[in-house]
């Protein structure tokens, strides 16, 4: 899922230009070029109302210490906001997407200015309360910067403001929300009902419902035909180059079925908010284990008290790191963005990571395929300064509740 690590850009350049530089690899008249430009068009607006990397796995791998400096790709902000519970000194969060930056700033301002936790949870937990628009106007909007306020108050073709999405289930919005909704419609047309999964009380029952309601859908010819086209996964934020890494030599329908089954059956439904959103289109809210950490009472307090430690920038991570002093950053979070990078761009990124890494710094990232992608892709003198913790990477990857990635990877600076 493309985020923000392409090199070579101008800080503050428009989001559209940054996306073109990050995604376009082929001439527009070629098949690959047309596919890349179609993805860029999809990615212009909000993509991730919720991001799909498990923050509990991140926190266990990063071992954030009080005062740590973190550099991360922001995406929808769920994980960046959740890291604040570990009391880092600062978080540098970057993204190429204007909507993601605006969403992160909205979350920080809402935690700081809404009357309390109940109002904050109504806004970002339920995200379907009509009173949220009034809460925005009264408590949040007056304290937002101009760019963020303009984003949320821009009107759509029906005359409604973007902020009204929080009164109509925000998690059904964005490319990801619409993609999940389309999947539900297709499954229902083909005889399945994904929503039944959130009614399960045990993993065994989840498995039974999956086998009954969803597994047969992947045997249908139309589904196999759709999955064979990269554009089918654009709504998940998967660009054409990552589609190839995800599928490998297997049919994409088999890969998606396998990972969807892990999402549906790998963890208890009440403890897996990724599955709750995928199948029930909402957070069940039955326990703190079933919520993103920033949406729990303790996570909200951390965000309220420490939100000013987050610096948000609309720019590539490579460029953001280039402006940082040597040996100044302790933790790096790359999400899965390296999957689509060329060797040259990957090397530029790791040169900046290595230059700015403090002794024993940690880097985490995810990949569509299982193996780490760094060996043979970046120079040995760079890779040799890092230790790959393969055993722990495998163990933590198995704990990732989102279940959609092939691999989770942890590198530790040798210094």
């Amino acid at each position: 899922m493309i985020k923000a690590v392409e090199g070579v850009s101008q800080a503050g350049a428009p989001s559209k230009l940054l996306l073109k530089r990050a995604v376009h690899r082929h001439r527009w008249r070629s098949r690959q070029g047309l596919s890349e430009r179609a993805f860029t068009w999809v990615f212009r607006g909000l993509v991730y109302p919720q991001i799909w990397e498990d923050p509990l796995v991140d926190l266990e791998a990063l071992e954030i210490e009080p005062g740590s400096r973190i550099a991360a790709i922001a995406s929808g902000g769920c994980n960046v906001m959740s890291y604040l519970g570990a009391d880092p000194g600062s978080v540098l969060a970057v993204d190429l997407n204007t909507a993601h930056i605006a969403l992160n700033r909205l979350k920080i301002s809402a935690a700081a200015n809404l009357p309390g936790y109940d109002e904050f949870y109504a806004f970002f937990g339920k995200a379907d309360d009509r009173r949220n628009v009034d809460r925005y106007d009264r408590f949040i909007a007056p304290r937002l910067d101009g760019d963020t306020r303009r984003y949320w108050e821009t009107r759509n073709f029906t005359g409604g403001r973007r902020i009204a999405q929080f009164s109509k289930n925000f998690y059904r919005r964005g490319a990801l929300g619409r993609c999940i909704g389309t999947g539900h419609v297709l499954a229902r047309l083909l005889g399945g009902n994904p929503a039944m999964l959130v009614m399960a009380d045990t993993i065994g029952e989840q498995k039974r419902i999956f086998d009954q309601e969803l597994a047969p859908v992947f045997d249908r010819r139309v589904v196999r035909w759709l999955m064979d086209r990269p554009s089918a996964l654009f709504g998940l934020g998967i660009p054409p180059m990552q589609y190839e890494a995800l599928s490998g030599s297997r049919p994409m329908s088999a890969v998606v079925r396998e990972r969807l089954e892990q999402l549906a059956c790998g963890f208890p439904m009440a403890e897996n908010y990724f599955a709750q959103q995928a199948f029930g289109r909402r957070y069940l809210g039955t326990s703190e284990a079933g919520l993103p950490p920033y949406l729990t009472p303790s996570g909200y307090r951390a965000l309220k008290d420490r939100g000013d430690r987050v610096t948000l920038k609309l720019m590539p991570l490579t460029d953001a790191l280039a402006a940082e002093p040597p040996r100044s950053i302790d933790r790096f979070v790359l999400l899965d963005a390296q999957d689509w990078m060329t060797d040259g761009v990957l090397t530029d990124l790791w040169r900046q990571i290595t230059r700015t890494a403090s002794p024993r710094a940690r880097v985490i990232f995810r990949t569509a395929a299982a193996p780490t992608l760094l060996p043979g892709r970046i120079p040995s003198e760079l890779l040799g300064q890092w230790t790959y913790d393969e055993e722990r990477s495998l163990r933590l990857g198995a704990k990732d509740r989102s279940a959609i990635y092939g691999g989770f990877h942890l590198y530790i600076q040798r210094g």
Side-chain angles (χ1 to χ4, degrees), residues 5 78 163 165 183 191-192 215 227 229 268 312 316 319 323 330 345-346 359 369 375 415:
V5 289
C78 309
I163 196 64
Q165 295 172 351
M227 291 292 102
R229 280 142 185 81
L312 288 155
D319 292 5
D330 308 298
V345 172
L346 193 65

Side-chain angles (χ1 to χ4, degrees), residues 153-168:
E153 296 180 18
T154 295
R155 296 185 181 274
N156 58 28
F157 67 94
T158 65
R161 297 184 299 169
R162 282 197 181 107
I163 196 64
Q165 295 172 351
F166 288 92
S167 67
K168 304 172 184 177

Side-chain angles (χ1 to χ4, degrees), residues 278-328:
F279 304 116
R281 313 305 311 279
R282 69 189 190 279
Y283 297 130
L284 300 182
T286 55
S287 69
E288 288 197 7
L291 288 171
Y294 84 96
L295 278 178
T296 66
S298 60
Y300 157 75
R301 289 191 295 271
L303 177 55
K304 183 178 181 68
D305 294 341
R306 301 166 185 163
D308 59 355
R309 301 183 190 181
V310 179
T311 299
L312 288 155
K313 294 186 177 182
L314 181 68
M315 65 188 309
L317 181 57
T318 304
D319 292 5
L321 294 178
E324 295 296 318
R327 301 165 66 89
S328 61

